[in-house]
Amino acid sequence: MRGYYTERLSAELLQRCYEIAPPRVRQYLDAEIEHVLSHVRASDAVLELGCGYGRVLGRLSEGAATAIGIDTSRSSLRVARDLLAKRGNCRVLCMDAASLGFCDHAFDVVACVQNGISAFRVDQRALIAESIRVARPGGRVMCSSYAAEFWEPRLEWFRLQADHGVIGEIDWEATGAGVIVCKDGFRATTVDADGFERLTCDFNVQRQIRVVDRSSLFCELAV
């Protein structure tokens, strides 16, 4: 399951996932990016965890001095390098989000958006610990999952992905309560507010958990 985005849902197939997104999902995707950008200054160094083919990273680079994205899918990163080739302040690297190869305090903003914290299938506490480690004092770590009220648009989007062969056939009997299960083994979970509280309660940071656009649940840590 951890390798799903590396071995199956990557590169052009991952692009297709977003190309077929219905209007309400496109609104959600844009709202997340705009929310992160509202916390980015022109002088900032930004790190995106799970940058895929560069869809979000390109937008973040428009508001930052430098933008670095990491992912474990080499095929997605090849597409990202082509997509972002003309952006001189962008760079993408193959790296595990739970074991970052950056020095301490390297970034002003660390973003793990669009449910990456669940999709990566890594130790979530380790991911957050690493994000805090590489964030500068006064910086911000921003993680997002799906809001509970976004269940119906999210389910429709995943149905479209299954219909287009982007993911496996949905197992409707096993799907529910915020979890989408496919017959090929894919399982899309989320982190709720209590989950974010548990994951971050041991860190010496200021925490804010809020819903954005009635579609995203953001956990924002001021380092």
Side-chain angles (χ1 to χ4, degrees):
M1 181 62 210
R2 182 175 176 182
Y4 199 90
Y5 284 90
T6 301
E7 300 165 6
R8 188 189 191 285
L9 189 51
S10 62
E12 289 80 6
L13 199 60
L14 185 60
Q15 284 182 297
R16 184 63 178 150
C17 166
Y18 292 99
E19 289 170 355
I20 64 175
R24 180 62 183 92
V25 173
R26 290 178 182 269
Q27 177 184 317
Y28 141 75
L29 296 170
D30 286 340
E32 283 217 345
I33 296 170
E34 291 299 324
H35 183 66
V36 175
L37 278 171
S38 71
H39 294 87
V40 175
R41 300 165 299 186
S43 60
D44 281 353
V46 176
L47 172 65
E48 185 196 359
L49 307 181
C51 67
Y53 64 90
R55 181 182 57 84
V56 174
L57 190 66
R59 291 275 303 277
L60 295 181
S61 72
E62 296 172 3
T66 59
I68 295 178
I70 64 116
D71 205 282
T72 57
S73 170
R74 295 186 183 277
S75 59
S76 288
L77 290 172
R78 283 194 293 270
V79 176
R81 290 187 181 102
D82 289 340
L83 182 68
L84 304 171
K86 295 182 180 180
R87 296 187 180 274
N89 65 338
C90 273
R91 185 183 178 196
V92 295
L93 301 167
C94 189
M95 195 178 294
D96 190 326
S99 182
L100 297 172
F102 301 110
C103 63
D104 295 355
H105 315 313
F107 299 96
D108 299 286
V109 176
V110 180
C112 180
V113 295
Q114 296 174 2
N115 203 38
I117 191 167
S118 295
F120 299 164
R121 291 296 187 268
V122 299
D123 184 309
Q124 294 174 336
R125 191 179 294 272
L127 181 151
I128 291 172
E130 279 289 87
S131 298
I132 293 171
R133 179 184 67 77
V134 301
R136 291 171 179 158
R140 184 176 295 264
V141 174
M142 305 181 73
C143 297
S144 72
S145 189
Y146 294 108
E149 51 263 54
F150 195 62
W151 170 248
E152 291 299 333
R154 175 179 168 232
L155 190 60
E156 171 62 12
W157 185 28
F158 275 72
R159 185 191 65 78
L160 286 171
Q161 292 177 55
D163 289 348
H164 283 78
V166 176
I167 59 175
E169 180 185 354
I170 294 177
D171 184 340
W172 293 105
E173 291 186 1
T175 293
V179 179
I180 298 173
V181 180
C182 295
K183 293 182 179 179
D184 64 354
F186 181 65
R187 183 180 175 88
T189 61
T190 61
V191 180
D192 61 14
D194 288 342
F196 275 128
E197 291 271 1
R198 289 192 296 271
L199 287 170
T200 59
C201 63
D202 294 332
F203 297 107
N204 184 27
V205 293
Q206 293 183 332
R207 176 182 60 242
Q208 181 177 18
I209 299 172
R210 56 176 157 182
V211 174
V212 173
D213 184 55
R214 300 185 66 238
S215 54
S216 303
L217 183 68
F218 266 86
C219 178
E220 301 170 22
L221 308 176
V223 179

